Amino acid sequence: MAPDFYNDETRVQLNPLTILRFEDQEFVTLQHPSNSKTLKIKADIILVLLDALTWKTVAELCKMWPEQLHDEVKKHLGMLYDTQVLVTTESELAEAKPAALLPETGDNIIINIENHFWMLKDVVRTETYRRAIERNIKAGDIVLDLGAGTGILSFFAAKAKAEKVYALEKRQDLALVIRKLSEENNLTEIVEVLQQSSHLLEASQLDPRPNIMISEILGNAILEENILEFTMDARDRLLAPGAKLIPSKLKIDVFAFDSGNLADKRLEVEAIEQQYQLHFETLKTVLINKPYMRMQTVNPLAIKIMSDPVEVKQFDFYQMTDAHFESKITLIARQEGSIDSFCAYFTAWLDEETTLSNSPWSASTHWTQLVFQFAQKRWVKAGEEIRIVFQYNGSSQLWFEADLN
Ligand SMILES: C[S@@+](CC[C@H](N)C(=O)[O-])C[C@H]1O[C@@H](n2cnc3c(N)ncnc32)[C@H](O)[C@@H]1O
């Protein structure tokens, strides 16, 4: 029987491997980890989802929303269940992780490579990977390209004289693109395309075993493509012992700033109130209490930087055993002024000498930065401490709190 999301006692939990992708400031796409089902929802509903990382009743999830929005939230829970990113029983949860890959059949598949065009056109990103591949891959190497996309990194590896390259890509349309491009480039003898999500791949499908893994599953929200989980899983199950990892290390930094004239969400709510001649004070309260998470390009010249960057966390891909973390950080105000936003960015070490970063001070790439913006400003004196907390609990999503009172 289908679960009743209009019953307050129905319990729900998010499938822990759900992939969240931020389309823009307004919308988030949720993707079931191993099939093609996706759902595009308003970013504000994300607040409900983040609460469903552990078992919650429908009533508990609705509690943080004004009553007039409860039906809307319940409707979304039903849609999330249909997309299989939400589960309602322990057995569904157990099945959610190793869910069977639902094969799509037929040749008439729609090929959606718009995002991959951005990545290919991002020569800073792509040439940095090419340099690292050329420096690290030697004749005879067996390479796993985890998340091959259009196959570009696999082709670099094949050209660097790898003996064999497994181009592993979960999407069927992209797997087809990689096959066609390998043919066009006469690389089919070297590049073997595997259409599967890495966590569902059996080690026995990789014979011989790879001694190098390359992967680029870094997102604007840094961890939302599950780079930590997928890298650890592949390292432990799929690669030869001691295999080289590219990237091998990831660091997240954060700094505080004053956004100046950047859009204040409360002003947008005021515009909505004016348009519909209704009161939406409750939504403004939600915006004040929780940071509004947005993907935006942070131009250091267009904002007032209020602290030096401080390291949130470093991940050594060779050593790490747990993706979850909580990091409590203190930022020191550089000068007197107001703070309303925090910018997080990553640096990935492709090898000892080659780094790639979406820091606002690095060469610009297709990545934006991850910004947590509060609807109220805190006035600080030079040298004053601002405490923040970052948390990651394996849900693809970094959680953030700051002491702005
Ligand atoms: C950011 S793109 C990079 C594509 C390509 N490597 C490049 O550099 O242009 C990541 C790709 O990895 C795929 N992907 C993500 N996680 C995966 C996984 N666990 N197993 C297989 N493919 C995955 C996505 O579908 C996407 O096409």
Side-chain angles (χ1 to χ4, degrees), residues 2 31 46 96 116 144 158-159 175 196 203 227 241 255 291 306 355 367:
Q31 189 180 351
I46 208 75
H116 288 266
L144 173 63
K159 294 229 171 225
Q196 182 72 285
I227 182 168
F255 65 88
M306 290 298 294
T355 56
W367 286 295

Side-chain angles (χ1 to χ4, degrees), residues 234-293:
R235 176 199 68 194
D236 295 343
R237 287 191 315 109
L238 303 174
L239 305 181
K244 190 177 267 187
L245 303 173
I246 301 175
S248 56
K249 199 164 77 173
L250 183 72
K251 179 163 79 91
I252 301 176
D253 288 292
V254 65
F255 65 88
F257 67 99
D258 183 1
S259 62
N261 288 330
L262 288 183
D264 178 339
K265 278 278 143 188
R266 284 176 307 174
L267 298 180
E268 289 178 29
V269 176
E270 274 165 26
I272 292 165
E273 285 179 321
Q274 270 179 22
Q275 174 71 34
Y276 302 116
Q277 294 292 297
L278 289 167
H279 298 288
F280 273 83
E281 198 57 36
T282 315
L283 286 192
K284 288 190 217 164
T285 313
V286 169
L287 290 167
I288 287 173
N289 293 338
K290 302 258 181 195
Y292 187 72
M293 186 169 142

Side-chain angles (χ1 to χ4, degrees), residues 19 21 116 119-120 125-126 129 145-153 168-171 174 196-199 215-218 225 230 366:
I19 294 164
R21 195 164 294 120
H116 288 266
M119 292 180 237
L120 292 173
R125 175 202 82 115
T126 311
Y129 262 90
D145 177 8
L146 193 163
T150 52
I152 181 79
L153 305 185
L168 176 61
E169 171 54 55
K170 64 184 176 187
R171 274 177 48 189
L174 293 172
Q196 182 72 285
S197 182
S198 59
H199 72 291
S215 68
E216 195 281 81
I217 42 174
L218 285 158
E225 290 195 57
F230 287 136
H366 76 289

Side-chain angles (χ1 to χ4, degrees), residues 356-383:
L356 188 58
S357 175
N358 71 336
S359 143
W361 295 278
S362 296
S364 120
T365 63
H366 76 289
W367 286 295
T368 62
Q369 284 80 41
L370 171 59
V371 170
F372 299 92
Q373 187 179 14
F374 285 80
Q376 63 187 4
K377 292 180 188 285
R378 168 173 157 189
W379 190 263
V380 288
K381 295 204 170 65

Side-chain angles (χ1 to χ4, degrees), residues 310 328-332 385-388:
V310 170
K328 295 184 173 157
I329 301 150
T330 304
L331 301 174
I332 310 287
E385 296 185 346
I386 309 114
R387 274 180 276 282
I388 60 176

Side-chain angles (χ1 to χ4, degrees), residues 183-242:
E183 279 165 19
E184 242 175 72
N185 289 284
N186 292 324
L187 293 172
T188 50
E189 305 251 302
I190 304 171
V191 177
E192 180 181 342
V193 184
L194 297 168
Q195 192 224 318
Q196 182 72 285
S197 182
S198 59
H199 72 291
L200 299 173
L201 193 76
E202 300 287 342
S204 58
Q205 291 173 262
L206 303 178
D207 184 18
R209 278 238 190 164
N211 66 327
I212 297 198
M213 178 167 90
I214 45 180
S215 68
E216 195 281 81
I217 42 174
L218 285 158
N220 290 321
I222 308 178
L223 301 180
E224 85 269 30
E225 290 195 57
N226 294 98
I227 182 168
L228 303 179
E229 294 87 343
F230 287 136
T231 301
M232 281 191 291
D233 173 59
R235 176 199 68 194
D236 295 343
R237 287 191 315 109
L238 303 174
L239 305 181

